[in-house]
Amino acid sequence: AKAFLVPVMLYSTALSLPAEQLPTELQPVVKLMLAIIDFQNRGSPEARPRIDWIRKANDMLPAAFAKLFAGGEPNVFAQRICRDIKLMDAVFNMGVAPYDRTFPNFPFAAPEMQGPKALQKFVHVVLQRMFFKHSGCQVYFGQRLCQRIGDGSDRVWQPWMETVLDQLEAPLGPAVTLAALLSSNEKLMAQYATPKLVR
């Protein structure tokens, strides 16, 4: 699991900084995401077709894309490891990075952001697998904070749940992640399933 951590952090850092060149070689990142997904599941890694996963992700709705990876039973030990070594945090920050890069503008309108746009769906699938049927990881998700760029470009701390809520405007997986969390955890349901959210 530790072998996943540095590549995820390197991609996130390069993507989040406007002064850095936008990552263009994304197939290794896709392979990394697929490997992390497989790590969350019991048994041998699933045989996957050799396809253009960037195009596949961009062509599919988030819920349908998530179902492609929903078959395996979770490996509770692996989920706990990903939480404890902060791989879950690194993956979550990967999903925040495009927003930091283009703040205060929406990140996925530009043609050059189509690759990172597809990877957002992978980010949410990975997160969903990390807390699938694991109440401890669900509670962890509900308690974590991340740093975001606020007004005046100062860094501010924001709960992960609020970050996911802020990203609902983009149909790239946050709604699926939120639904999976709230339908699985009564505590998070009571805290975040407000009338405003339902509307």
Side-chain angles (χ1 to χ4, degrees), residues 17-118:
L17 299 175
E20 294 290 327
Q21 182 178 354
L22 189 69
T24 56
E25 186 53 52
L26 299 181
Q27 289 307 315
V29 187
V30 170
K31 290 181 179 179
L32 178 66
M33 294 289 99
L34 292 171
I36 297 174
I37 291 169
D38 286 336
F39 183 65
Q40 308 305 308
N41 298 332
R42 288 182 184 172
S44 302
E46 186 175 333
R48 304 193 189 282
R50 296 175 64 86
I51 61 174
D52 184 345
W53 282 101
I54 296 294
R55 177 176 293 179
K56 182 80 168 177
N58 278 330
D59 286 347
M60 296 185 72
L61 293 173
F65 186 70
K67 284 183 180 179
L68 295 177
F69 308 97
E73 277 299 304
N75 183 331
V76 176
F77 180 68
Q79 290 173 308
R80 188 167 68 244
I81 288 176
C82 291
R83 178 194 67 194
D84 292 348
I85 70 168
K86 300 295 190 288
L87 180 59
M88 184 185 285
D89 296 58
V91 172
F92 189 89
N93 289 334
M94 185 177 167
V96 173
Y99 293 86
D100 284 350
R101 183 182 188 90
T102 62
F103 180 86
N105 299 317
F106 181 73
F108 302 114
E112 63 269 20
M113 292 295 285
Q114 293 308 294
K117 178 181 177 181

Side-chain angles (χ1 to χ4, degrees), residues 85-149:
I85 70 168
K86 300 295 190 288
L87 180 59
M88 184 185 285
D89 296 58
V91 172
F92 189 89
N93 289 334
M94 185 177 167
V96 173
Y99 293 86
D100 284 350
R101 183 182 188 90
T102 62
F103 180 86
N105 299 317
F106 181 73
F108 302 114
E112 63 269 20
M113 292 295 285
Q114 293 308 294
K117 178 181 177 181
L119 284 169
Q120 285 294 103
K121 293 182 182 178
F122 276 101
V123 165
H124 282 282
V125 169
V126 170
L127 292 171
Q128 291 156 26
R129 297 307 299 174
M130 284 180 171
F131 63 67
F132 179 57
K133 294 185 179 180
H134 196 302
S135 60
C137 290
Q138 293 161 9
V139 170
Y140 179 87
F141 193 106
Q143 294 175 339
R144 294 301 289 166
L145 304 173
C146 65
Q147 281 196 316
R148 301 293 313 278
I149 299 177

